């Protein structure tokens, strides 16, 4: 048992400070949809009679370009369950912080602006900092690697704590908290109780958090290996991004090539990400079992023909499942509230663990 | 085994809740997921509330 005690102690000491930062920054991020909606409330599409036909998607894109002179399209996302098209634009095809984003009513082509929003105010900037702190410790790729390591060590600390739980509770009833003894005993019992009831959730959050931390590195690896091999025949061509195929045809081709999926995102050709000669079309499965799993389809930007529709490698499929399991945004607002309460319970476990270590030293 | 009875039940409930919310499409699946994921918090509250009550009585 001494081995497990030392393992729990030292892994706990190693991760507690950063784990506290992650739990605290994760708390507002659980509700980022609600907070974003409050900071920058989206204008709903106009109420029109049911069955009002939608405009052709390429006409909508022409309207988006007209509303953003000098820009080119970077990405397009159809609205989920509402007659809205989301269009990302910028001065160059390459993604970057200089981009802007439009929502268009697909029936009227009207740009749904955001009057009176608090976008880019201090609260939104604070949310951005919280997000960057939580996902990369404000350190870009090195921060992502540190977070992945922290996630693994956090899981080791949690599991070793669970191993220590059995001998600790051998002569006690489950949930017993000895309030009449010393303050340290009280905190030890609270630490063990909160730790054991949140055990499964914390392990899931730790493992999925480690995977999520590596998401950009995984995507870069996939783009540098699989996609590079699939687009090898285009490498000799001019590297300037080109588009010629109509988006309507691109989407129809993809839906035919990958049946039982829905197109969720079309990334336009660019030099930084994937290929200057291809649309990268992300589709999601249409059934509950496949709804979290993406397929990446590369479409020739000039001819509109499918170049590749290979399944994603295993690590990106695991990432697809790990994402919602970490964010807790897949079961309505009550699930988010439960997520937040479990997060607070985890903060209590970390805080009590820190207290116990300091009290022992003192 | 008695030491692990409650912890295993709570862990199983938590994992079941995560999967039900993931694979269910709203409706009863989500209700079951909320109940299953609420169990660890309910157990925590059930253990702590009497403690706080005793402390409050002791202070007054």
């Amino acid at each position: 048992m001494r081995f497990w005690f030392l393992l729990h102690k030292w892994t706990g000491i190693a991760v507690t400070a950063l784990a506290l930062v992650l739990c605290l920054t994760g708390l507002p991020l659980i509700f980022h949809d609600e907070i974003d909606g409050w900071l920058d409330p989206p204008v709903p599409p106009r109420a029109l009679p049911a069955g009002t036909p939608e405009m052709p998607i390429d006409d909508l894109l022409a309207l988006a370009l007209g509303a953003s002179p000098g820009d080119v399209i970077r990405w397009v996302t159809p609205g989920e369950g509402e007659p809205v098209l989301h269009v990302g634009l910028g001065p160059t095809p390459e993604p970057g912080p200089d981009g802007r984003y439009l929502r268009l009513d697909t029936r009227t082509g009207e740009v749904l602006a955001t009057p009176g929003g608090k976008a880019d105010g201090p609260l939104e900037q604070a949310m951005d900092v919280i997000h960057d702190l939580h996902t990369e410790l404000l350190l870009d790729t090195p921060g992502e690697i540190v977070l992945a390591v922290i996630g693994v060590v956090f899981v080791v600390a949690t599991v070793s704590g669970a191993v220590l739980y059995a001998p600790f509770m051998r002569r006690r009833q489950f949930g017993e908290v000895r309030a009449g003894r010393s303050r340290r005993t009280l905190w030890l019992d609270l630490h063990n109780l909160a730790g054991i009831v949140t055990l499964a959730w914390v392990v899931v959050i730790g493992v999925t958090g480690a995977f999520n931390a590596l998401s950009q590195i995984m995507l870069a690896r996939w783009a540098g290996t699989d996609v590079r091999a699939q687009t090898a025949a285009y490498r000799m061509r001019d590297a300037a991004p080109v588009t010629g195929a109509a988006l309507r045809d691109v989407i129809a081709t993809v839906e035919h090539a990958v049946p039982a999926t829905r197109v969720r995102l079309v990334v336009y050709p660019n030099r930084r990400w994937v290929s200057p000669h291809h649309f990268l079309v992300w589709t999601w499965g249409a059934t509950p079992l496949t709804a979290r799993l993406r397929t990446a389809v590369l479409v020739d930007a000039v001819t509109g023909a499918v170049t590749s529709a290979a399944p994603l490698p295993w690590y990106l499929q695991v990432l697809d499942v790990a994402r919602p399991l970490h964010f807790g945004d897949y079961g309505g607002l009550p699930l988010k509230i439960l997520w937040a309460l479990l997060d607070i319970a985890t903060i209590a476990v970390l805080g009590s663990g820190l207290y116990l270590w300091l009290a022992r030293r003192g | 085994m008695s030491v692990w009875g409650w912890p295993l039940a709570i862990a199983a409930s938590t994992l079941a809740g995560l999967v039900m919310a993931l694979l269910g499409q709203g409706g009863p699946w989500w209700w079951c997921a909320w109940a299953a994921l609420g169990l660890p918090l309910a157990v925590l509250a059930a253990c702590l509330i009497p403690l706080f009550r005793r402390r409050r009585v002791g202070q007054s």
Side-chain angles (χ1 to χ4, degrees):
Chain A
M1 271 305 136
R2 183 162 173 76
F3 165 77
W4 291 104
F5 174 75
L6 290 174
L7 185 65
H8 185 61
K9 177 184 167 184
W10 288 111
T11 51
I13 289 169
V15 299
T16 293
L18 275 178
L20 274 170
V21 169
L22 294 173
C23 286
L24 290 168
T25 53
L27 209 47
L29 292 178
I30 295 168
F31 301 102
H32 78 90
D33 286 332
E34 289 74 13
I35 294 171
D36 289 349
W38 172 67
L39 290 174
D40 193 9
V43 177
R46 199 183 299 177
L48 293 174
T52 303
E54 295 193 336
M55 292 173 63
I57 194 166
D58 293 282
D59 293 353
L60 290 167
L61 296 179
L63 289 171
L65 287 170
S68 192
D71 283 345
V72 294
I73 295 169
R74 288 177 172 172
W75 54 264
V76 175
T77 300
E80 282 283 297
E82 57 176 0
V84 169
L85 187 72
H86 307 260
V87 184
L89 303 112
T92 61
E94 284 69 39
D98 53 353
R100 60 186 301 232
Y101 152 66
L102 295 178
R103 295 169 71 243
L104 286 97
D105 188 319
T106 55
R107 303 154 306 171
T108 63
E110 183 184 3
V111 175
L112 302 171
T114 309
K118 299 169 195 161
D120 297 319
L123 283 174
E124 187 161 89
Q125 287 172 10
M127 282 300 288
D128 287 344
V129 172
I130 288 170
H131 175 268
D132 291 348
L133 194 56
H134 190 83
T135 56
E136 55 180 43
L137 296 174
L138 308 176
L139 294 172
D140 210 353
T141 304
E144 292 167 1
I145 294 168
V146 169
L147 285 178
V149 173
I150 291 291
V152 173
V153 178
F154 184 49
V155 169
V156 172
T158 306
V159 171
S160 56
V163 173
L164 292 172
Y165 175 81
F168 178 81
M169 292 300 291
R170 197 168 290 142
R171 291 185 190 83
R172 297 200 191 97
Q173 289 219 319
F174 175 80
E176 183 185 344
V177 179
R178 293 166 293 176
R181 302 267 195 94
S182 67
R183 181 181 287 266
R184 190 177 176 280
T185 304
L186 172 69
W187 279 101
L188 179 62
D189 287 351
L190 291 173
H191 179 75
N192 286 325
L193 173 62
I196 203 66
V197 299
T198 56
L199 173 70
W201 184 81
V202 165
V203 169
V204 169
I205 292 296
V207 171
T208 55
F211 250 91
N212 276 306
L214 296 174
S215 62
Q216 294 303 314
I217 295 169
M218 289 179 189
L219 281 166
R221 177 188 151 78
W222 169 72
T225 54
D226 297 33
V227 174
R228 195 172 162 78
Q230 289 155 14
T231 58
Y234 291 78
R235 215 164 291 152
M236 298 304 289
R237 297 191 190 175
D238 184 4
V242 287
T243 53
L247 192 60
R248 184 196 59 184
D249 299 336
V250 169
I251 290 175
T253 304
V254 169
E255 287 176 341
H256 180 72
V258 194
T261 60
R262 286 171 298 154
V263 170
R264 291 275 295 273
L265 173 65
V266 180
V267 180
Y268 270 57
N270 67 79
R271 274 174 291 207
R272 189 184 300 174
W273 185 234
V274 179
S275 163
H277 307 288
H278 292 86
F279 290 103
L280 172 62
V281 185
W282 291 102
T283 71
W284 267 250
T287 67
L289 272 175
T290 60
R292 311 279 169 194
L293 299 175
R294 293 173 296 173
T295 304
V297 186
L298 290 167
V299 179
D300 188 303
V302 176
T303 65
V306 170
T307 301
S308 160
L312 289 177
W314 68 268
Y315 51 87
L316 287 182
Q317 292 189 24
V318 173
L319 177 65
D320 282 347
V321 177
R323 274 203 169 115
L325 284 174
H326 188 78
F327 300 152
D329 59 353
Y330 60 102
L333 185 59
L335 190 72
K336 291 185 178 187
I337 293 169
L338 288 167
W339 227 254
L341 293 172
L342 287 163
D343 189 24
I344 291 168
T346 308
I347 291 171
V349 176
L350 291 165
S352 56
L354 190 62
Y355 169 80
L356 290 169
W357 178 63
L358 292 172
R360 197 182 175 92
R361 279 166 59 93
Chain B
M1 189 58 210
S2 59
V3 169
W4 286 107
W6 269 105
L8 284 176
I10 293 166
S13 176
T14 303
L15 295 176
L18 293 172
V19 173
M20 280 189 284
L22 195 63
L23 299 182
Q25 297 282 292
W29 283 105
W30 279 11
W31 283 97
C32 292
W34 299 335
L37 276 164
L39 181 68
L41 293 163
V43 169
L44 192 59
C47 294
L48 293 184
I49 288 171
L51 179 75
F52 286 123
R53 279 199 183 134
R54 278 205 302 273
R55 297 200 115 200
R56 190 174 288 176
V57 169
Q59 281 172 356
S60 63

